[in-house]
Structure formats: C-alpha cells, structure tokens
Amino acid sequence: MKKTIIAPSLLSGDFSFAAEALREMEAAGADWVHLDIMDGNFVPDITFGSKMTADLRPHSKLPFDVHLMTADPGRHIDSFAKAGADYITFHLEAALHSHRLVMQIKARGVGAGISIVPSTPVSMLEPMLSCIDIVLVMTVNPGFGGQELIEMCVDKIKQLDELRAARGLNFKISADGGVNSSTAALIKNAGADVLITGSSFFNAKDRAEFVRTLRVQE
Ligand code: DX5
Ligand code: ZN
C-alpha cells in the first residue's frame, strides 16, 4: 500500500513562532511542510512571502510544499524557488499560461503543481496532467483555515485518480481544506496521496498521534 503524505500547513500555527511550528511538524512525524502564500488579491488575506520562506528553510529538513494563492503566479516562481521550495503549486484560475508556468517551475529544478478551487472542474486541467507533479484539489474555498470540507470536491479526487490510472500517469493528488480525522478516510479512499492539514493538526492535543491516525485511516 502506498504511504500517505501528511503535510501540516503553517497557516494555523503561530507565525511569531514559525520556526518552532516547523520543528513540531517534524517531531510529530509529518512528511512535508505546507506553506500557504496569500496575496490579498486572489484571496482576501495576506500571509507571508519568499523572505519568510527562505528564513524558515534552515529550520526543517522536510520538503517545502508552497501553495501560491496569488494572482499572477508567474511573478513569484523564481523567488520561491530561490527560497528553497521543493514544490510550487499555483492556481489554474489565476494563470493565463499554465503550461509556461509549469515549465518555469521545472526549469528551476522544483516540482510543479496546479490547484483547482471547488468550482473548477477536473476537465479544465486535463491537458496539463501529463506535465505536472501535483494536482492540489481545494476541498474548501481557498483563503482561510478551519473551514468544513465541501464533499462534492471529493468526487474530483476520484475522477483524477481514475484519469491517472487510465493514462498511466503518476502525479500526486493533494487534498487541501477540511482534512481531519473524520474526513481523512473518505479523502484517502477517493485516491488522495497528500493530506494537507492546518487547523486539525495544530488543534490536536497529541500531534504525533494525530499524524499517525491520519496515515492509517481507511
Ligand atoms: C486554505 C489553505 C489551506 C489551509 C487548510 O486556503 O490552502 O492549506 O491551511 O486549513 P484547514 O486544514 O484548517 O482546513
Ligand atoms: Zn494550502
């Protein structure tokens, strides 16, 4: 059986102790660090940028999974690649030339991901599936932590899993938003490989136990 990747999001951590939050993720047995970049334009809130990401890089050995919730994502690719991102995911809805952006990311030696919001169908992504490393399915509307899973998005994970098998592709499917110990099984059974978890990770009393629970959910 494939190992599910658990990727806690710093978004729900205390930004004034961000390095400490990253150490807690690693100590809890998480696999990736998910970094939510919000620009106050594609989504209402603003989080942090490439300077913060570069400053955090020495504080964790885990891969940095950068999720750009920004307008004009092409402007940010080089700075986050330089900051030490292992994966950069941008939103299909924010990009005019997705293929060019994927090539730009890959040329920097970084894994390329594309995300779709709940209202965007999988069919919009189909031409790009053979060139990307990650499809990030937003299972809530982007912009905030702590929202409830939108169940119709789980069906998109299933569609992607089927397309992946039918076309012999090997991109990873990430689920982002409303992932917790009650929803993880549904999401994993639909075919997700990466579970991104913000509020439920930071709210867990025992974070190592929480990570173990998510991993073994069936
Ligand atoms: C939301 C972000 C998510 C967020 C998920 O726009 O992309 O990564 O951290 O938070 P939870 O797990 O609390 O839904
Ligand atoms: Zn995210």
Side-chain angles (χ1 to χ4, degrees):
M1 235 186 77
K2 66 179 181 188
K3 186 188 172 205
T4 301
I5 293 167
I6 309 296
S9 166
L10 179 61
L11 183 65
S12 296
D14 182 341
F15 282 8
S16 67
F17 289 96
E20 185 51 36
L22 262 54
R23 279 190 282 276
E24 283 172 16
M25 294 175 190
E26 207 166 329
D31 303 291
W32 291 2
V33 171
H34 186 77
L35 297 168
D36 285 305
I37 312 303
M38 303 186 184
D39 67 347
N41 186 358
F42 182 72
V43 289
D45 217 344
I46 298 173
T47 53
F48 54 86
S50 57
K51 164 79 165 68
M52 171 88 156
T53 303
D55 288 350
L56 286 171
R57 188 56 285 190
H59 294 276
S60 177
K61 288 197 274 297
L62 301 181
F64 274 13
D65 179 35
V66 170
H67 178 191
L68 293 178
M69 280 166 280
T70 70
D72 199 4
R75 282 179 53 195
H76 304 293
I77 287 168
D78 288 358
S79 58
F80 281 96
K82 242 186 239 149
D86 294 276
Y87 298 97
I88 298 177
T89 295
F90 62 87
H91 270 268
L92 186 69
E93 302 84 6
L96 265 183
H97 303 289
S98 291
H99 183 270
R100 179 183 292 155
L101 297 189
V102 166
M103 295 305 131
Q104 193 183 334
I105 295 170
K106 288 187 160 180
R108 305 288 176 270
V110 175
I114 303 185
S115 179
I116 49 174
V117 303
S119 58
T120 301
V122 165
S123 57
M124 297 282 287
L125 250 185
E126 275 194 49
M128 292 302 297
L129 291 178
S130 57
C131 354
I132 53 183
D133 302 291
I134 298 178
V135 175
L136 190 158
V137 176
M138 285 300 314
T139 39
V140 298
N141 286 297
F144 307 97
Q147 304 178 78
E148 232 174 81
L149 177 86
I150 301 172
E151 280 210 27
M152 69 168 191
C153 301
V154 178
D155 197 52
K156 295 202 279 183
I157 297 174
K158 216 177 260 167
Q159 285 175 45
L160 282 160
D161 188 40
E162 284 165 11
L163 275 171
R164 177 168 62 177
R167 290 173 55 182
L169 300 172
N170 54 16
F171 57 85
K172 288 189 182 351
I173 304 172
S174 292
D176 190 3
V179 178
N180 55 45
S181 41
S182 322
T183 58
L186 182 73
I187 294 165
K188 279 173 68 171
N189 290 334
D193 311 277
V194 184
L195 300 184
I196 296 161
T197 171
S199 53
S200 54
F201 174 81
F202 283 100
N203 290 339
K205 277 208 180 74
D206 182 340
R207 291 174 185 155
E209 177 59 28
F210 174 74
V211 168
R212 271 194 300 275
T213 309
L214 281 204
R215 229 195 273 289
V216 301
Q217 283 292 322
E218 285 183 276

